[in-house]
């Protein structure tokens, strides 16, 4: 580490090298945080998490009981042992909460004054953070599995909403219209994502085993359907090139927008090159996945070789190297199935929420020496306070008074 | 691989080690493969996958099948020998395109492929076809076109009729010889004749090894102990063969312990 700092200082290495090496080292060595946890205000299992893209400071979560919570991730207390407190909630008593479960939450990409949530009560609500009331609401004909708003859009204000029974709608926030529908899927759409590089490229994955790429400006339909065999094995139905052999329930772009990771109920993860639309054929092995709704997994960023953090069926989170498919680690800590993971881009921490109503923080493993220092400091404090208490305890009792003889 | 060793790679020293120029530039050194004496020149050192394929070839008990089958290797076995699955897939693809091996789809899962060396497949097909009294004409045509030139797992009607000039009756003869099996209207899998014999033994053996481990206390057993157990004679393929296959197919987890490799049944 010191060698890299000196190299950076003298200009031998570019600044990116130091950031990349340190991020990679931290992202590889995640373990359950020993000193920090998230205040438990959840009444039900957590379905979706999002960190605000502006300052990476607030964690937004949506639960099974229709409530939403915002936690402040920064630690101003000065102590190492810290509980991340909830700053505001849409609690059970709030009249505007979702009637059934919340499936997806997302911060407005430009600032934290607004966030969007959608759920099984078939609505998409746009919330004002300061008053914690919805500024707008959209109703759909089927339950909303997933919605996403483009993180780089400057010319449009569209929210892509994937619903039950093959409805993929684009909601325009500026005009309030929710009529633009993209036709192409045959069954429910479980996950939608905008590309982080191209503001018009939308990707949707559905129960009919396909992943479709859309350019929202074109009126002709989807650009292409991703094919897991890359056209080699002659398909039985020539029109069906499927991305997975089961429902596509999770998608994530890499930070540079060049690759897309998808996961499906055929227990496979696939990595796609978005420029050509081809399957890169990286073999990750089997990852048990039977989720019938959307699964939110995380991809690290700023690393030399990126990692995929994906929840599996047995309450664990599996960590795979993205370009070689090697399994790095299994993160164990949850008591029930994990529904969502989100990676903090600056701290290289992972936040995961599951059906056991916990959000766990996974931190990079620190050196043993820092832990020893903390132990010494806390034991010193304890010995000081103990001696103080004993002086009083020796002479105090409840009936005698010091003034009397 | 432990996390620490991966992380240490990033911090490795950048000192360049000076090597003395090798004096034997012109001589090509020969490497002896200890297994069966085949030697490779320095220019063509075989890839990891090829070496594993040759090693697994030795495990297959040819004598037990009395010449009815060539050496069949299951793709999963390679995953148990080599850590990096993507590299295995890539190298298999290059070998397939170079027509050194042939892949066949065999099994229920989408991923179950069997590997047979092209030369042995050719001999096997010629033998089977002559036993079934299929005309020499068709046999030679099939060998020269499909075996020598076509590298994919399945073939469709257009390719057979237009590129390779097979007629409908000839295709029927090929299906009768079980070198082609029907997948769909106009789509055939390129197949291994007598594959049924192999599949029967294979499924029996896989069930045997999984039951053996399931009956153990805590559903785990040391590899050395498993090798000492009695293997039923009915399953002809042998314990080592099945062990590799079951590890690579992700049915069994391998855990390194101080007393050797521990095999534990994955929870399902």
């Amino acid at each position: 580490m010191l060698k890299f700092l000196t190299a950076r200082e003298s200009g031998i290495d570019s600044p990116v090298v130091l950031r990349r090496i340190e991020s990679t080292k931290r992202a590889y060595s995640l373990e359950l945080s020993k000193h920090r946890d998230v205040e438990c205000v959840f009444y039900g299992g957590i379905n979706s998490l999002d960190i605000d893209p502006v300052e990476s400071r607030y964690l937004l979560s949506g639960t099974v009981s229709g409530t939403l919570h915002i936690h402040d991730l920064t630690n101003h207390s000065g102590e190492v042992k810290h509980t991340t407190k909830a700053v505001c909630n849409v609690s059970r008593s709030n009249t505007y909460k979702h009637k059934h479960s919340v499936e997806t939450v997302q911060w407005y990409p430009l600032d934290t004054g607004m966030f969007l949530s959608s759920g099984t009560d078939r609505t998409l609500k746009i919330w004002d953070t300061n008053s914690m009331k919805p500024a707008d609401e959209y109703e759909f004909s089927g339950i909303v599995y997933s919605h996403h708003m483009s993180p780089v859009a400057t010319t449009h204000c569209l929210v892509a909403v994937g619903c039950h029974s093959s409805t993929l709608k684009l909601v325009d926030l500026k005009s309030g219209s929710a009529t633009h529908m993209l036709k192409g899927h045959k069954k429910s759409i479980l996950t939608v994502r905008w590309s982080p590089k191209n503001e018009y490229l939308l990707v949707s994955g559905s129960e009919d085993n396909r992943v479709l790429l859309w350019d929202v400006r074109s009126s002709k339909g989807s650009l292409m359907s991703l094919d897991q065999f890359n056209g080699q094995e002659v398909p039985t139905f020539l029109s069906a090139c499927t991305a997975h052999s089961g429902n596509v329930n999770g998608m994530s772009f890499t930070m540079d927008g060049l690759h897309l990771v998808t996961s499906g109920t055929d227990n496979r993860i696939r990595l796609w090159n978005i420029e050509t639309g081809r399957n890169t054929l990286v073999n990750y092995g089997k990852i048990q996945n039977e989720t019938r709704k959307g699964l939110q997994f995380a991809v690290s960023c700023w690393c030399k070789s990126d990692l995929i953090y994906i929840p599996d069926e047995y309450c664990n989170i599996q960590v795979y190297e993205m370009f070689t498919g090697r399994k790095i680690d299994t993160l164990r800590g949850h008591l029930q199935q994990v529904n969502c993971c989100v990676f903090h881009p600056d701290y290289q921490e992972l936040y995961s929420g599951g059906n056991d109503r916990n959000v766990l923080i996974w931190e990079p493993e620190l050196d043993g020496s820092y832990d020893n220092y903390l132990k010494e400091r806390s034991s010193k404090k304890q010995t000081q306070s103990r001696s103080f208490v004993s002086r009083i305890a020796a002479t105090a009792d409840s009936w005698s008074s010091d003034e009397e003889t | 691989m432990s996390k620490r060793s991966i992380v240490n790679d990033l911090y490795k020293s950048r000192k360049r080690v000076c090597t003395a120029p090798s004096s034997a530039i012109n001589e090509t050194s020969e490497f002896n493969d200890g297994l069966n004496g085949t030697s490779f020149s320095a220019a063509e050192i075989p890839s990891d996958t090829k070496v594993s394929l040759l090693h697994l070839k030795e495990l297959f008990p040819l004598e037990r099948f009395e010449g009815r089958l060539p050496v069949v290797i299951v793709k999963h076995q390679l995953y148990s020998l080599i850590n990096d699955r993507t590299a295995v897939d890539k190298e298999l693809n290059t070998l397939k395109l170079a027509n050194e091996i042939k892949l066949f789809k065999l099994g229920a899962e989408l991923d179950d492929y069997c590997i047979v060396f092209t030369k042995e497949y050719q001999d096997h097909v010629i033998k089977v076809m002559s036993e079934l009294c299929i005309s020499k004409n068709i046999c030679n045509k099939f060998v020269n076109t499909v075996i020598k030139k076509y590298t994919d797992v399945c073939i469709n009607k257009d390719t057979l009729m237009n590129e390779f000039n097979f007629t409908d009756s000839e295709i029927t003869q090929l299906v009768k010889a079980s070198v082609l099996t029907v997948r769909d209207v106009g789509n055939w899998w390129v197949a291994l004749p007598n594959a049924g014999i192999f599949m029967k033994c294979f499924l029996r053996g896989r069930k045997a090894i999984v039951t053996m481990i399931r009956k153990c206390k805590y559903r785990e057993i040391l590899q050395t102990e498993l090798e000492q157990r009695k293997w039923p004679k009915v399953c002809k393929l042998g314990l080592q063969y099945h062990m590799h296959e079951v590890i690579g197919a992700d049915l069994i987890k391998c855990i390194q312990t101080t007393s050797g490799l521990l095999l534990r049944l994955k929870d399902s």
Side-chain angles (χ1 to χ4, degrees):
Chain A
M1 170 72 164
L2 292 176
K3 186 181 74 162
F4 283 103
L5 283 173
T6 355
R8 164 80 185 92
E9 196 186 321
S10 52
I12 299 174
D13 280 339
S14 73
V16 184
V17 170
L18 174 63
R19 180 173 191 174
R20 224 175 258 277
I21 296 271
E22 236 352 78
S23 309
T24 317
K25 176 182 168 203
R26 286 167 66 88
Y28 268 76
S29 52
L30 287 187
E31 59 160 25
L32 195 54
S33 170
K34 296 195 195 87
H35 308 289
R36 291 165 51 212
D37 63 354
V38 176
E39 184 188 5
C40 194
V41 290
F42 306 104
Y43 303 113
I46 296 135
N47 273 338
S48 180
L49 290 172
D50 192 33
I51 296 185
D52 80 281
V54 182
E55 293 179 302
S56 307
R57 182 174 169 177
Y58 295 103
L59 179 70
L60 173 64
S61 48
T63 64
V64 164
S65 47
T67 58
L68 300 154
H69 308 271
I70 301 175
H71 286 81
D72 182 353
L73 295 175
T74 49
N75 182 355
H76 292 299
S77 64
E79 294 288 316
V80 178
K81 274 200 180 322
H82 175 72
T83 307
T84 307
K85 293 265 184 276
V87 288
C88 42
N89 305 302
V90 173
S91 56
R92 276 184 300 193
S93 50
N94 194 320
T95 41
Y96 301 108
K97 77 173 178 75
H98 281 271
K99 290 195 185 56
H100 301 294
S101 72
V102 175
E103 291 296 316
T104 324
V105 291
Q106 192 196 3
W107 283 105
Y108 182 58
L110 301 174
D111 63 55
T112 52
M114 200 163 92
F115 58 91
L116 298 92
S117 69
S118 64
T120 44
D121 59 349
R122 306 182 194 170
T123 55
L124 168 73
K125 290 193 208 267
I126 322 279
W127 296 82
D128 176 354
T129 326
N130 294 313
S131 58
M132 288 312 266
K133 288 207 188 103
D136 206 355
E137 244 181 69
Y138 295 92
E139 276 245 5
F140 297 93
S141 53
I143 66 175
V144 180
Y145 283 107
S146 173
H147 76 261
H148 199 239
M149 198 163 165
S150 173
V152 293
T154 47
T155 51
H156 69 80
C157 231
L158 296 172
V159 183
V161 181
C163 317
H164 193 61
S165 59
S166 77
T167 320
L168 174 58
K169 281 213 171 152
L170 293 177
V171 172
D172 185 356
L173 293 182
K174 277 195 223 155
S175 61
S177 77
T179 50
H180 188 173
M181 199 150 89
L182 298 172
K183 284 193 192 287
H185 280 293
K186 297 193 174 63
K187 285 197 188 165
S188 318
I189 293 148
L190 297 179
T191 167
V192 288
R193 280 283 182 275
W194 290 89
S195 158
K197 271 284 150 30
N198 181 349
E199 57 178 328
Y200 297 110
L201 182 66
L202 174 67
V203 184
S204 60
S206 100
E207 263 183 7
D208 63 2
N209 307 353
R210 291 191 301 160
V211 173
L212 293 180
L213 268 69
W214 308 84
D215 183 329
V216 292
R217 294 169 293 189
S218 93
S219 52
K220 267 194 284 184
S222 56
L223 286 176
M224 66 180 295
S225 166
L226 298 180
D227 182 10
Q228 57 179 317
F229 300 115
N230 284 337
Q232 271 184 0
E233 282 194 18
V234 178
T236 42
F237 305 106
L238 287 169
S239 59
C241 23
T242 55
H244 278 267
S245 309
N247 307 350
V248 180
N249 55 20
M251 286 200 305
S252 187
F253 271 97
T254 54
M255 192 184 68
D256 54 9
L258 295 174
H259 291 273
L260 174 73
V261 184
T262 57
S263 72
T265 51
D266 59 346
N267 303 333
R268 300 271 184 267
I269 308 174
R270 299 200 201 279
L271 181 70
W272 307 87
N273 181 338
I274 288 294
E275 296 289 304
T276 56
R278 290 175 68 83
N279 185 354
T280 54
L281 296 174
V282 178
N283 192 337
Y284 297 94
K286 262 195 183 170
I287 165 107
Q288 255 338 85
N289 181 351
E290 282 160 19
T291 320
R292 291 275 150 202
K293 53 179 188 160
L295 179 73
Q296 186 184 352
F297 59 85
V299 173
S300 71
C301 44
W302 285 112
C303 294
K304 185 170 141 190
S305 48
D306 281 324
L307 299 174
I308 301 176
Y309 302 94
I310 180 161
D312 73 0
E313 272 309 288
Y314 307 113
C315 329
N316 302 327
I317 301 172
Q318 308 282 358
V319 185
Y320 287 94
E321 225 177 61
M322 188 153 65
F323 291 108
T324 61
R326 258 189 333 174
K327 176 142 168 245
I328 304 291
D329 202 6
T330 305
L331 302 177
R332 283 175 233 272
H334 275 277
L335 301 167
Q336 278 187 311
Q337 189 180 1
V338 185
N339 289 329
C340 45
C341 298
V342 65
F343 189 76
H344 196 297
D346 300 325
Y347 299 158
Q348 287 86 40
E349 286 170 352
L350 186 73
Y351 302 93
S352 59
N355 283 341
D356 56 351
R357 298 193 265 154
N358 279 333
V359 171
L360 294 183
I361 306 181
W362 307 86
E363 275 183 337
E365 200 179 321
L366 299 169
D367 256 345
S369 49
Y370 186 58
D371 278 345
N372 287 336
Y373 165 72
L374 288 175
K375 264 191 219 152
E376 284 171 24
R377 217 178 66 171
S378 62
S379 63
K380 247 188 254 169
K381 266 200 206 147
Q382 265 190 5
T383 48
Q384 282 174 1
S385 52
R386 220 183 292 136
S387 52
F388 183 62
V389 166
S390 63
R391 259 194 292 141
I392 297 179
T395 51
D397 56 16
S398 51
W399 62 84
S400 65
S401 135
D402 280 346
E403 284 104 34
E404 291 179 353
T405 47
Chain B
M1 227 219 258
S2 73
K3 283 185 287 191
R4 203 136 291 172
S5 60
I6 299 169
V7 167
N8 279 339
D9 270 349
L10 300 169
Y11 284 76
K12 68 181 172 200
S13 73
R14 295 200 206 155
K15 286 191 217 151
R16 263 182 250 113
V17 180
C18 285
T19 49
S22 87
S23 50
I25 306 172
N26 293 322
E27 303 167 15
T28 50
S29 36
E30 294 257 314
F31 295 93
N32 248 323
D33 176 6
L35 290 175
N36 46 14
T38 54
S39 42
F40 307 96
S41 65
E44 35 161 284
I45 296 180
S47 60
D48 274 346
T49 318
K50 186 133 193 222
V51 170
S52 322
L53 277 174
L54 291 168
H55 171 73
L56 289 167
K57 189 172 163 185
E58 303 297 307
L59 287 178
F60 189 86
L62 257 178
E63 354 42 72
R64 293 245 189 123
F65 288 105
E66 298 144 8
R68 283 185 297 169
L69 273 183
V71 175
V72 180
I73 303 165
V74 182
K75 190 166 92 154
H76 289 145
Q77 294 174 318
L78 291 169
Y79 294 154
S80 76
L81 290 173
I82 302 175
N83 230 342
D84 192 353
R85 291 183 177 212
T86 318
V88 170
D89 284 347
K90 277 199 194 139
E91 287 169 12
L92 274 182
N93 219 5
T94 32
L95 286 173
K96 187 177 86 164
L97 290 172
N99 219 358
E100 281 189 37
I101 57 171
K102 281 215 163 285
L103 254 60
F104 302 106
K105 186 150 167 20
L106 217 60
E109 296 245 327
L110 214 58
D111 233 2
D112 279 348
Y113 288 104
C114 292
I115 303 170
V116 183
F117 285 94
T118 315
K119 182 106 199 353
E120 304 187 359
Y121 180 61
Q122 197 171 314
D123 298 335
H124 179 69
V125 164
I126 295 176
K127 194 163 74 168
V128 165
M129 283 200 168
S130 60
E131 274 176 16
L132 286 172
C133 310
I134 308 241
S135 86
K136 280 261 170 193
N137 214 356
I138 303 180
C139 182
N140 288 334
K141 203 160 147 191
F142 181 76
V143 169
N144 290 333
T145 55
V146 180
I147 298 189
K148 291 212 174 139
K149 294 191 199 155
Y150 192 73
T151 52
D152 206 358
V153 194
C154 57
I155 194 168
N156 62 7
K157 197 165 186 184
D158 293 329
T159 335
L160 278 175
M161 300 200 88
N162 301 335
E163 277 185 50
F164 300 141
N165 295 323
F166 277 99
T167 59
D168 258 335
S169 58
E170 291 179 339
I171 297 180
T172 325
Q173 292 285 334
L174 289 176
V175 176
K176 185 172 150 201
S178 63
V179 288
L180 289 180
T181 41
V182 172
R183 176 188 178 177
D184 199 1
V185 179
N187 268 325
W188 289 273
W189 297 109
V190 179
L192 180 70
N194 289 341
I197 306 172
F198 170 72
M199 276 316 280
K200 202 160 85 168
C201 288
F202 176 75
L203 288 172
R204 216 185 272 150
R206 194 193 240 198
K207 194 164 161 212
I209 195 171
V210 171
T211 348
M212 261 206 261
I213 302 185
R214 193 178 292 142
K215 280 195 292 188
C216 300
K217 195 177 184 195
Y218 305 120
R219 289 145 58 119
E220 61 189 19
I221 187 171
L222 284 174
Q223 186 180 25
T224 41
E225 248 193 69
L226 186 64
E227 283 167 9
Q228 284 167 7
R229 292 237 177 141
K230 198 162 104 66
W231 181 251
K233 247 171 56 173
V234 195
C235 324
K236 302 186 197 169
L237 286 170
L239 181 64
Q240 284 283 344
Y241 190 90
H242 280 291
M243 205 160 59
H244 281 299
E245 194 277 323
V246 141
I247 294 173
D250 277 341
L251 293 168
I252 298 257
K253 214 173 5 171
C254 284
I255 303 164
Q256 278 290 352
T257 62
T258 45
S259 12
L261 197 66
L262 182 72
L263 305 174
R264 182 184 289 160
L265 203 61
K266 269 204 183 164
D267 348 286
S268 52

